[in-house]
CSV table of all heavy atoms in Angstrom, one decimal:
chain,number,residue,atom,x,y,z
A,1,LYS,N,21.2,14.5,-12.0
A,1,LYS,CA,21.7,13.7,-13.1
A,1,LYS,C,23.0,13.1,-12.8
A,1,LYS,O,23.3,11.8,-13.2
A,1,LYS,CB,21.9,14.7,-14.3
A,1,LYS,CG,22.7,14.2,-15.5
A,1,LYS,CD,21.9,13.1,-16.2
A,1,LYS,CE,22.6,12.6,-17.4
A,1,LYS,NZ,22.1,11.3,-17.9
A,2,ALA,N,23.9,13.7,-12.1
A,2,ALA,CA,25.2,13.2,-11.7
A,2,ALA,C,24.9,11.9,-10.8
A,2,ALA,O,25.7,10.9,-10.9
A,2,ALA,CB,26.0,14.2,-10.9
A,3,GLY,N,24.0,12.0,-9.8
A,3,GLY,CA,23.6,10.9,-9.1
A,3,GLY,C,23.1,9.7,-9.9
A,3,GLY,O,23.6,8.5,-9.8
A,4,PHE,N,22.3,9.9,-10.9
A,4,PHE,CA,21.8,8.9,-11.9
A,4,PHE,C,22.9,8.3,-12.5
A,4,PHE,O,23.0,7.0,-12.7
A,4,PHE,CB,20.9,9.5,-12.8
A,4,PHE,CG,19.4,9.9,-12.4
A,4,PHE,CD1,18.6,10.7,-13.2
A,4,PHE,CD2,19.0,9.5,-11.0
A,4,PHE,CE1,17.3,11.0,-12.7
A,4,PHE,CE2,17.8,9.9,-10.6
A,4,PHE,CZ,16.9,10.6,-11.4
A,5,ASP,N,23.9,9.1,-13.0
A,5,ASP,CA,25.0,8.6,-13.8
A,5,ASP,C,25.9,7.7,-12.9
A,5,ASP,O,26.5,6.8,-13.4
A,5,ASP,CB,25.9,9.8,-14.3
A,5,ASP,CG,25.1,10.4,-15.4
A,5,ASP,OD1,24.2,9.9,-16.0
A,5,ASP,OD2,25.6,11.6,-15.8
A,6,HIS,N,26.0,8.0,-11.7
A,6,HIS,CA,26.9,7.3,-10.7
A,6,HIS,C,26.4,6.0,-10.2
A,6,HIS,O,27.3,5.1,-9.9
A,6,HIS,CB,27.2,8.3,-9.6
A,6,HIS,CG,28.3,7.7,-8.6
A,6,HIS,ND1,29.7,7.9,-8.8
A,6,HIS,CD2,28.2,7.0,-7.4
A,6,HIS,CE1,30.4,7.3,-7.8
A,6,HIS,NE2,29.5,6.9,-7.0
A,7,VAL,N,25.1,5.9,-10.0
A,7,VAL,CA,24.5,4.7,-9.2
A,7,VAL,C,24.7,3.4,-10.1
A,7,VAL,O,24.6,3.5,-11.3
A,7,VAL,CB,23.2,5.0,-8.7
A,7,VAL,CG1,23.1,6.1,-7.8
A,7,VAL,CG2,22.2,5.0,-9.8
A,8,ASP,N,24.7,2.3,-9.4
A,8,ASP,CA,24.7,1.0,-10.1
A,8,ASP,C,23.7,0.0,-9.5
A,8,ASP,O,23.7,-1.2,-9.8
A,8,ASP,CB,26.1,0.4,-10.1
A,8,ASP,CG,26.7,0.1,-8.8
A,8,ASP,OD1,26.0,0.3,-7.8
A,8,ASP,OD2,27.9,-0.3,-8.6
A,9,THR,N,22.8,0.5,-8.7
A,9,THR,CA,21.8,-0.3,-8.1
A,9,THR,C,20.5,-0.3,-9.1
A,9,THR,O,20.4,0.5,-10.0
A,9,THR,CB,21.3,0.3,-6.7
A,9,THR,OG1,20.9,1.6,-7.0
A,9,THR,CG2,22.3,0.1,-5.7
A,10,ASN,N,19.7,-1.3,-8.9
A,10,ASN,CA,18.6,-1.4,-9.9
A,10,ASN,C,17.5,-0.4,-9.6
A,10,ASN,O,16.7,0.0,-10.5
A,10,ASN,CB,17.8,-2.8,-9.6
A,10,ASN,CG,18.7,-4.0,-10.1
A,10,ASN,OD1,19.5,-3.8,-11.1
A,10,ASN,ND2,18.5,-5.2,-9.5
A,11,LEU,N,17.5,0.2,-8.4
A,11,LEU,CA,16.6,1.3,-8.1
A,11,LEU,C,17.3,2.5,-7.6
A,11,LEU,O,18.3,2.5,-6.9
A,11,LEU,CB,15.5,0.8,-7.0
A,11,LEU,CG,14.6,-0.4,-7.3
A,11,LEU,CD1,13.8,-0.8,-6.1
A,11,LEU,CD2,13.7,-0.1,-8.5
A,12,VAL,N,16.7,3.7,-7.9
A,12,VAL,CA,17.2,4.9,-7.5
A,12,VAL,C,16.1,5.8,-7.0
A,12,VAL,O,15.1,5.9,-7.6
A,12,VAL,CB,18.2,5.5,-8.6
A,12,VAL,CG1,17.4,5.9,-9.8
A,12,VAL,CG2,18.9,6.8,-8.1
A,13,GLY,N,16.4,6.8,-6.1
A,13,GLY,CA,15.5,7.7,-5.6
A,13,GLY,C,16.2,8.9,-5.1
A,13,GLY,O,17.4,8.9,-5.1
A,14,TYR,N,15.4,10.0,-4.8
A,14,TYR,CA,16.2,11.0,-4.1
A,14,TYR,C,15.2,11.7,-3.1
A,14,TYR,O,14.1,11.6,-3.1
A,14,TYR,CB,16.7,12.0,-5.2
A,14,TYR,CG,15.6,13.0,-5.8
A,14,TYR,CD1,15.5,14.2,-5.2
A,14,TYR,CD2,15.1,12.7,-7.0
A,14,TYR,CE1,14.6,15.1,-5.8
A,14,TYR,CE2,14.2,13.6,-7.6
A,14,TYR,CZ,14.0,14.8,-7.0
A,14,TYR,OH,13.1,15.7,-7.6
A,15,ILE,N,16.0,12.5,-2.2
A,15,ILE,CA,15.2,13.3,-1.2
A,15,ILE,C,16.0,14.5,-1.0
A,15,ILE,O,17.3,14.5,-1.1
A,15,ILE,CB,15.2,12.4,0.1
A,15,ILE,CG1,14.3,13.1,1.1
A,15,ILE,CG2,16.5,12.0,0.7
A,15,ILE,CD1,13.9,12.3,2.3
A,16,ASP,N,15.4,15.6,-0.7
A,16,ASP,CA,16.0,16.9,-0.4
A,16,ASP,C,16.7,16.8,0.9
A,16,ASP,O,16.1,16.3,1.9
A,16,ASP,CB,15.1,18.0,-0.5
A,16,ASP,CG,14.9,18.5,-1.9
A,16,ASP,OD1,15.5,18.0,-2.9
A,16,ASP,OD2,14.0,19.4,-2.1
A,17,SER,N,17.7,17.5,1.1
A,17,SER,CA,18.5,17.5,2.3
A,17,SER,C,17.8,18.5,3.3
A,17,SER,O,18.3,18.6,4.5
A,17,SER,CB,20.0,17.9,2.1
A,17,SER,OG,20.1,19.0,1.3
A,18,ASP,N,16.7,19.2,3.0
A,18,ASP,CA,16.0,20.0,4.0
A,18,ASP,C,15.1,19.2,4.8
A,18,ASP,O,14.6,19.6,5.8
A,18,ASP,CB,15.2,21.0,3.3
A,18,ASP,CG,14.2,20.6,2.3
A,18,ASP,OD1,13.8,19.4,2.3
A,18,ASP,OD2,13.7,21.4,1.5
A,19,LEU,N,14.9,17.9,4.5
A,19,LEU,CA,14.1,17.0,5.2
A,19,LEU,C,12.6,17.5,5.5
A,19,LEU,O,12.1,17.1,6.4
A,19,LEU,CB,14.8,16.6,6.5
A,19,LEU,CG,15.9,15.7,6.5
A,19,LEU,CD1,16.5,15.4,7.9
A,19,LEU,CD2,15.6,14.3,5.8
A,20,GLN,N,12.1,18.1,4.5
A,20,GLN,CA,10.7,18.4,4.6
A,20,GLN,C,9.8,17.3,4.2
A,20,GLN,O,8.5,17.3,4.3
A,20,GLN,CB,10.3,19.6,3.7
A,20,GLN,CG,10.9,20.9,4.3
A,20,GLN,CD,10.2,22.2,3.6
A,20,GLN,OE1,10.8,22.9,2.8
A,20,GLN,NE2,9.0,22.5,4.0
A,21,THR,N,10.4,16.2,3.6
A,21,THR,CA,9.9,14.9,3.4
A,21,THR,C,10.7,13.9,4.3
A,21,THR,O,11.8,14.2,4.7
A,21,THR,CB,9.8,14.4,2.0
A,21,THR,OG1,11.1,14.5,1.4
A,21,THR,CG2,8.8,15.3,1.3
A,22,THR,N,10.1,12.8,4.7
A,22,THR,CA,10.9,11.9,5.5
A,22,THR,C,11.3,10.7,4.7
A,22,THR,O,10.6,10.0,3.9
A,22,THR,CB,10.0,11.4,6.7
A,22,THR,OG1,10.8,10.4,7.4
A,22,THR,CG2,8.7,10.9,6.3
A,23,PRO,N,12.5,10.1,5.0
A,23,PRO,CA,12.9,8.9,4.2
A,23,PRO,C,12.1,7.7,4.5
A,23,PRO,O,12.0,6.8,3.7
A,23,PRO,CB,14.4,8.6,4.8
A,23,PRO,CG,14.8,9.9,5.4
A,23,PRO,CD,13.6,10.7,5.8
A,24,GLU,N,11.4,7.7,5.7
A,24,GLU,CA,10.5,6.5,6.0
A,24,GLU,C,9.5,6.3,5.0
A,24,GLU,O,9.1,5.2,4.7
A,24,GLU,CB,9.8,6.8,7.4
A,24,GLU,CG,10.6,6.8,8.6
A,24,GLU,CD,9.8,7.1,9.8
A,24,GLU,OE1,8.6,7.1,9.7
A,24,GLU,OE2,10.4,7.2,10.9
A,25,ASP,N,9.1,7.4,4.3
A,25,ASP,CA,8.1,7.3,3.3
A,25,ASP,C,8.5,6.6,2.0
A,25,ASP,O,7.8,6.3,1.0
A,25,ASP,CB,7.4,8.6,3.0
A,25,ASP,CG,6.4,9.1,4.1
A,25,ASP,OD1,6.1,8.1,4.9
A,25,ASP,OD2,6.0,10.2,4.2
A,26,PHE,N,9.9,6.4,1.8
A,26,PHE,CA,10.4,5.6,0.8
A,26,PHE,C,9.7,4.2,0.7
A,26,PHE,O,9.5,3.6,-0.4
A,26,PHE,CB,11.9,5.5,0.8
A,26,PHE,CG,12.7,6.6,0.2
A,26,PHE,CD1,13.6,7.4,0.9
A,26,PHE,CD2,12.5,7.0,-1.1
A,26,PHE,CE1,14.2,8.4,0.4
A,26,PHE,CE2,13.1,8.0,-1.8
A,26,PHE,CZ,14.1,8.8,-1.0
A,27,ASN,N,9.4,3.7,1.8
A,27,ASN,CA,8.9,2.3,1.9
A,27,ASN,C,7.5,2.3,1.3
A,27,ASN,O,7.1,1.3,0.7
A,27,ASN,CB,8.8,1.8,3.3
A,27,ASN,CG,10.2,1.3,3.8
A,27,ASN,OD1,11.1,1.2,3.1
A,27,ASN,ND2,10.3,1.0,5.1
A,28,ILE,N,6.8,3.4,1.4
A,28,ILE,CA,5.5,3.5,0.8
A,28,ILE,C,5.6,3.6,-0.7
A,28,ILE,O,4.8,2.8,-1.4
A,28,ILE,CB,4.7,4.8,1.2
A,28,ILE,CG1,4.5,4.8,2.8
A,28,ILE,CG2,3.4,5.0,0.6
A,28,ILE,CD1,4.0,6.1,3.3
A,29,LEU,N,6.5,4.2,-1.2
A,29,LEU,CA,6.8,4.3,-2.7
A,29,LEU,C,7.3,3.0,-3.2
A,29,LEU,O,6.9,2.5,-4.3
A,29,LEU,CB,7.8,5.4,-3.0
A,29,LEU,CG,7.5,6.8,-2.5
A,29,LEU,CD1,8.5,7.8,-3.2
A,29,LEU,CD2,6.2,7.2,-2.9
A,30,LEU,N,8.2,2.4,-2.4
A,30,LEU,CA,8.8,1.1,-2.9
A,30,LEU,C,7.7,-0.1,-2.9
A,30,LEU,O,7.9,-1.0,-3.7
A,30,LEU,CB,9.8,0.6,-1.9
A,30,LEU,CG,11.2,1.4,-2.1
A,30,LEU,CD1,12.1,1.2,-0.9
A,30,LEU,CD2,11.9,1.1,-3.3
A,31,GLU,N,6.6,0.0,-2.3
A,31,GLU,CA,5.5,-0.9,-2.4
A,31,GLU,C,5.0,-1.1,-3.8
A,31,GLU,O,4.5,-2.1,-4.2
A,31,GLU,CB,4.3,-0.5,-1.5
A,31,GLU,CG,4.6,-0.6,0.0
A,31,GLU,CD,3.4,-0.2,0.8
A,31,GLU,OE1,2.3,0.0,0.2
A,31,GLU,OE2,3.5,0.0,2.0
A,32,HIS,N,5.1,-0.1,-4.7
A,32,HIS,CA,4.5,0.1,-6.0
A,32,HIS,C,5.5,0.0,-7.1
A,32,HIS,O,5.1,-0.1,-8.2
A,32,HIS,CB,3.7,1.4,-6.1
A,32,HIS,CG,2.7,1.6,-5.0
A,32,HIS,ND1,1.4,1.0,-5.0
A,32,HIS,CD2,2.8,2.4,-3.9
A,32,HIS,CE1,0.8,1.4,-4.0
A,32,HIS,NE2,1.5,2.2,-3.3
A,33,ILE,N,6.8,0.0,-6.8
A,33,ILE,CA,7.8,0.1,-7.9
A,33,ILE,C,7.9,-1.1,-8.8
A,33,ILE,O,8.3,-0.9,-10.0
A,33,ILE,CB,9.3,0.5,-7.3
A,33,ILE,CG1,10.2,1.0,-8.4
A,33,ILE,CG2,9.8,-0.7,-6.6
A,33,ILE,CD1,9.7,2.3,-9.0
A,34,GLU,N,7.5,-2.2,-8.4
A,34,GLU,CA,7.6,-3.3,-9.3
A,34,GLU,C,6.7,-3.2,-10.5
A,34,GLU,O,7.1,-3.6,-11.6
A,34,GLU,CB,7.2,-4.7,-8.5
A,34,GLU,CG,7.3,-5.9,-9.3
A,34,GLU,CD,7.1,-7.1,-8.6
A,34,GLU,OE1,7.0,-7.1,-7.3
A,34,GLU,OE2,7.0,-8.2,-9.2
A,35,ALA,N,5.5,-2.6,-10.3
A,35,ALA,CA,4.5,-2.3,-11.4
A,35,ALA,C,4.7,-1.1,-12.2
A,35,ALA,O,4.0,-0.9,-13.2
A,35,ALA,CB,3.2,-2.5,-10.9
A,36,TYR,N,5.7,-0.2,-11.7
A,36,TYR,CA,5.8,1.1,-12.3
A,36,TYR,C,7.4,1.4,-12.6
A,36,TYR,O,8.2,0.8,-11.9
A,36,TYR,CB,5.3,2.2,-11.5
A,36,TYR,CG,3.7,2.1,-11.4
A,36,TYR,CD1,3.1,1.3,-10.3
A,36,TYR,CD2,2.9,2.6,-12.2
A,36,TYR,CE1,1.8,1.1,-10.2
A,36,TYR,CE2,1.5,2.5,-12.2
A,36,TYR,CZ,0.9,1.7,-11.1
A,36,TYR,OH,-0.5,1.5,-11.1
A,37,GLU,N,7.6,2.3,-13.4
A,37,GLU,CA,8.9,2.7,-13.6
A,37,GLU,C,9.3,3.9,-12.8
A,37,GLU,O,10.5,4.2,-12.5
A,37,GLU,CB,9.2,3.1,-15.1
A,37,GLU,CG,9.4,1.9,-16.0
A,37,GLU,CD,8.2,0.9,-16.0
A,37,GLU,OE1,7.1,1.3,-16.4
A,37,GLU,OE2,8.5,-0.3,-15.6
A,38,LEU,N,8.4,4.6,-12.3
A,38,LEU,CA,8.6,5.8,-11.4
A,38,LEU,C,7.4,6.0,-10.5
A,38,LEU,O,6.3,5.8,-10.8
A,38,LEU,CB,8.8,7.2,-12.1
A,38,LEU,CG,9.0,8.3,-11.2
A,38,LEU,CD1,10.1,9.2,-11.9
A,38,LEU,CD2,7.8,9.1,-10.9
A,39,VAL,N,7.8,5.9,-9.1
A,39,VAL,CA,6.7,6.3,-8.2
A,39,VAL,C,7.0,7.6,-7.5
A,39,VAL,O,8.2,7.7,-6.9
A,39,VAL,CB,6.5,5.2,-7.1
A,39,VAL,CG1,5.4,5.4,-6.2
A,39,VAL,CG2,6.4,3.8,-7.8
A,40,THR,N,6.2,8.6,-7.5
A,40,THR,CA,6.5,9.9,-7.0
A,40,THR,C,5.6,10.3,-5.9
A,40,THR,O,4.4,9.9,-6.0
A,40,THR,CB,6.5,10.9,-8.2
A,40,THR,OG1,6.8,12.3,-7.7
A,40,THR,CG2,5.1,11.0,-8.8
A,41,GLY,N,6.1,11.0,-5.0
A,41,GLY,CA,5.4,11.4,-3.8
A,41,GLY,C,4.4,12.6,-4.2
A,41,GLY,O,4.8,13.4,-5.1
A,42,VAL,N,3.4,12.7,-3.5
A,42,VAL,CA,2.5,14.0,-3.5
A,42,VAL,C,2.4,14.5,-2.1
A,42,VAL,O,1.9,13.7,-1.2
A,42,VAL,CB,1.1,13.6,-4.1
A,42,VAL,CG1,0.3,14.9,-4.0
A,42,VAL,CG2,1.2,13.2,-5.5
A,43,ARG,N,2.9,15.6,-1.8
A,43,ARG,CA,3.0,16.1,-0.5
A,43,ARG,C,1.6,16.5,0.0
A,43,ARG,O,1.0,17.5,-0.5
A,43,ARG,CB,3.9,17.4,-0.5
A,43,ARG,CG,5.3,17.1,-0.7
A,43,ARG,CD,6.2,18.3,-0.9
A,43,ARG,NE,6.0,18.8,-2.3
A,43,ARG,CZ,6.6,19.8,-2.9
A,43,ARG,NH1,7.7,20.4,-2.2
A,43,ARG,NH2,6.3,20.3,-4.1
A,44,SER,N,1.1,15.9,1.0
A,44,SER,CA,-0.2,16.1,1.6
A,44,SER,C,0.0,17.0,2.8
A,44,SER,O,1.0,17.0,3.6
A,44,SER,CB,-0.9,14.8,2.1
A,44,SER,OG,-0.1,14.1,3.0
A,45,ASN,N,-1.1,17.9,3.0
A,45,ASN,CA,-1.1,18.8,4.1
A,45,ASN,C,0.3,19.5,4.2
A,45,ASN,O,0.9,19.6,5.2
A,45,ASN,CB,-1.3,18.1,5.4
A,45,ASN,CG,-1.7,19.1,6.5
A,45,ASN,OD1,-2.1,20.2,6.3
A,45,ASN,ND2,-1.5,18.5,7.8
A,46,ARG,N,0.7,20.3,3.1
A,46,ARG,CA,1.9,21.0,3.0
A,46,ARG,C,2.1,22.0,4.1
A,46,ARG,O,1.1,22.7,4.5
A,46,ARG,CB,2.1,21.6,1.7
A,46,ARG,CG,2.3,20.5,0.6
A,46,ARG,CD,2.7,21.2,-0.8
A,46,ARG,NE,3.8,22.0,-0.8
A,46,ARG,CZ,4.5,22.5,-1.9
A,46,ARG,NH1,3.8,22.2,-3.0
A,46,ARG,NH2,5.5,23.2,-1.8
A,47,LYS,N,3.3,22.1,4.7
A,47,LYS,CA,3.7,23.0,5.7
A,47,LYS,C,4.4,24.2,5.2
A,47,LYS,O,5.2,24.8,6.1
A,47,LYS,CB,4.5,22.2,6.8
A,47,LYS,CG,3.8,21.1,7.4
A,47,LYS,CD,2.5,21.4,8.1
A,47,LYS,CE,2.0,20.3,9.0
A,47,LYS,NZ,1.3,19.2,8.1
A,48,ASP,N,4.3,24.6,4.0
A,48,ASP,CA,5.0,25.8,3.5
A,48,ASP,C,4.2,26.9,3.7
A,48,ASP,O,3.0,26.9,4.0
A,48,ASP,CB,5.3,25.6,2.0
A,48,ASP,CG,6.3,24.4,1.6
A,48,ASP,OD1,7.2,24.3,2.5
A,48,ASP,OD2,6.1,23.8,0.7
């Protein structure tokens, strides 16, 4: 929430600092953001 309040860019996202997901995949999500208000990842083949 503090991050949302602070940013002034048109788009905002987040990633955990444990890096169990990769920033590279933001590009996959960004492909769809023009037509949607939120694009969320689904973790495939989870390593937990």
Side-chain angles (χ1 to χ4, degrees):
K1 172 61 173 170
F4 289 168
D5 291 343
H6 186 83
V7 303
D8 58 6
T9 52
N10 290 331
L11 300 174
V12 61
Y14 79 89
I15 187 171
D16 277 357
S17 47
D18 61 13
L19 287 180
Q20 287 194 257
T21 51
T22 174
E24 290 181 10
D25 286 348
F26 275 122
N27 283 350
I28 300 173
L29 305 187
L30 287 166
E31 290 178 10
H32 306 279
I33 195 59
E34 185 175 346
Y36 296 88
E37 279 60 61
L38 180 144
V39 184
T40 181
V42 176
R43 291 166 288 189
S44 60
N45 192 21
R46 288 184 64 169
K47 300 299 191 293
D48 291 324

